[in-house]
Structure formats: C-alpha cells, structure tokens
C-alpha cells in the first residue's frame, strides 16, 4: 500500500498500527505484535529511506519498552529529511488520548501564563494534536467494521469515510484504487450547499 501510494502521488499516509486499547488483548498476542513491530522497523526503515519516504510516529511512545522506543527514534531520524511522501504510523494511539494530551499541553501553558485561555481556538488545538498535518481527505476502514475505533477523532471532522469488507492483509492496490474512485465521486461541501460549491468553482 505504501509503495502504491508513492506511485500515485499520495503525499501523506497514516496507518493505525497499534491502538491504546490493544494492550487489553491476550498478553501472548501483544508480545507477538511487539516482536513483529521491532523486527519490521529496522528492515522497513531502510527501504522507506531508499524510496524517499519520511517515517513518523504518533501516539504515546513512552508506553513501549526502551529497545522499541530506541528503534522508533532511530527510524524517525534515518528518514526525517525525506520529502517524497510521509508515512505516519499510529502506535499506542487513541483519538481521545490525543485530544486529552493536547488539552493538557494547552492547560500547562495557560497556567504558566504563556497563553491566554481566551485565545485557544481550533487552530491552536490542532497544533497540539499529535498529527499536526492537513486533515485527512479519506478515511478507509477495512475488515467490514463500521466504526472508526477511536482513530483521528479530532482530524476527521470533514473526512470522507470508506468502509471495505476486505481484511487489511488482503487490502491491496486494487482495493485502494476502488476506495479512491469512490472518494473522487463525492462532493465535499464542508457545511456549504451544493449550489455554493458550484458558485465557488465557477
């Protein structure tokens, strides 16, 4: 999927690798996921770097082991200057956690007198959310699930949603192209009427 996104010109791809709720899964499964993550990091970071992809991580990284934290930081440093595409990997991440940590950060600054609480607006909040980037255009949920599972809650206010019955391991380029085609067929109004959109584009 990352390779295909690079070929079709996608600039930012964000994937949900491990949620903050996933710690509640059986310990054996969690250990296996952490092992896979650790082994994949070094291997994939090298290939991503060679293809001009910047690798970034969002989430509560402090929740991982020291070795895994070091691997995450090493992969981030290795690819930090790449500009062809950005791959955001959400690990130990939850949308509610993201909003809470942003609120805490703003509250600490307000308590120190660094900002006026009355100046806090959506733009300032967005700068403190862990994914400080343009709001996503398309949100794809695989596996037939009809929920967002606490992912990018703040950022997805006007994101287009696409739900696929295909499981993630089977979700290949053809499925991605299908999702993008559906997205392209939609009219994004951002609170406006269809008539207003037509007038703006005229």
């Amino acid at each position: 999927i990352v390779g295909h996104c690079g070929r079709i010109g996608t600039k930012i791809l964000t994937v949900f690798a491990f949620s903050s709720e996933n710690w509640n899964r059986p310990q054996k499964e969690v250990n296996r996921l952490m092992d896979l993550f650790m082994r994949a990091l070094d291997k994939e970071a090298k290939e991503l770097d060679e293809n001009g992809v910047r690798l970034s991580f969002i989430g509560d990284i402090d929740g991982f082991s020291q070795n895994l934290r070091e691997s995450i930081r090493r992969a981030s440093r290795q690819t930090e200057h790449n500009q062809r595409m950005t791959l955001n990997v959400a690990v130990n991440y939850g949308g509610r956690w993201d909003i809470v940590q942003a609120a805490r950060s703003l509250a600490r600054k307000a308590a120190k007198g660094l900002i006026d609480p009355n100046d806090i607006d959506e733009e300032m909040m967005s700068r403190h959310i862990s994914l400080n980037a343009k709001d996503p255009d398309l949100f794809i949920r695989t596996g037939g699930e009809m929920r967002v599972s606490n992912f990018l809650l703040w950022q997805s206010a006007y994101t287009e949603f696409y739900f696929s019955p295909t499981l993630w391991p089977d979700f290949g380029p053809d499925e991605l192209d299908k999702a993008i085609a559906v997205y392209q067929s939609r009219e994004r109004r951002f609170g406006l009427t269809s008539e207003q959109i037509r007038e703006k584009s005229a």
Side-chain angles (χ1 to χ4, degrees):
I1 290 297
V2 176
H4 188 59
C5 282
R7 286 189 291 273
I8 63 177
T10 302
K11 290 301 181 183
I12 301 175
L13 173 66
T14 303
V15 296
F16 206 0
F18 189 83
S19 79
S20 49
E21 288 80 23
N22 286 157
W23 292 111
N24 296 321
R25 292 189 175 189
Q27 189 60 48
K28 186 177 180 180
E29 181 179 345
V30 171
N31 291 341
R32 185 169 60 85
L33 287 170
M34 291 299 103
D35 182 57
L36 283 171
F37 187 27
M38 186 86 164
R39 286 190 283 120
L41 264 177
D42 292 331
K43 176 190 172 188
E44 300 298 337
K46 183 176 183 297
E47 185 175 350
L48 291 169
D49 189 34
E50 291 171 350
N51 286 278
V53 178
R54 176 177 173 265
L55 185 58
S56 178
F57 296 88
I58 61 172
D60 186 7
I61 307 301
D62 291 338
F64 294 120
S65 68
Q66 182 177 346
N67 286 342
L68 187 48
R69 293 198 303 270
E70 279 302 314
S71 291
I72 288 172
R73 294 187 185 107
R74 185 165 56 247
S76 298
R77 287 193 300 266
Q78 183 178 351
T79 63
E80 64 183 347
H81 297 298
N82 294 335
Q83 297 182 356
R84 181 183 177 190
M85 176 182 168
T86 297
L87 172 62
N88 297 308
V89 181
V91 288
N92 196 20
Y93 174 89
R96 289 180 174 178
W97 164 86
D98 203 0
I99 294 169
V100 168
Q101 66 83 26
R104 284 175 176 164
S105 179
L106 288 168
R108 284 193 292 268
K109 289 183 178 180
K112 293 178 181 178
L114 300 175
I115 59 173
D116 184 337
N118 293 318
D119 291 335
I120 297 174
D121 55 14
E122 290 185 16
E123 183 181 348
M124 188 181 293
M125 186 74 170
S126 293
R127 291 200 302 269
H128 288 76
I129 292 288
S130 60
L131 181 61
N132 184 12
K134 180 180 179 290
D135 288 346
D137 296 306
L138 176 61
F139 185 123
I140 300 173
R141 179 64 200 256
T142 61
E145 302 289 356
M146 304 296 283
R147 59 178 181 270
V148 298
S149 295
N150 198 19
F151 188 46
L152 302 183
L153 299 181
W154 174 268
Q155 300 89 335
S156 298
Y158 280 100
T159 297
E160 295 294 322
F161 286 80
Y162 178 86
F163 296 94
S164 170
T166 305
L167 295 171
W168 172 243
D170 302 319
F171 192 89
D174 289 344
E175 293 292 331
L176 179 57
D177 287 343
K178 189 187 303 182
I180 293 173
V182 170
Y183 164 80
Q184 290 173 329
S185 71
R186 296 178 182 173
E187 180 183 67
R188 304 190 72 193
R189 297 195 298 271
F190 298 97
L192 302 178
T193 66
S194 295
E195 184 178 0
Q196 287 175 303
I197 295 295
R198 286 192 294 270
E199 288 175 354
K200 287 182 67 175
S201 60

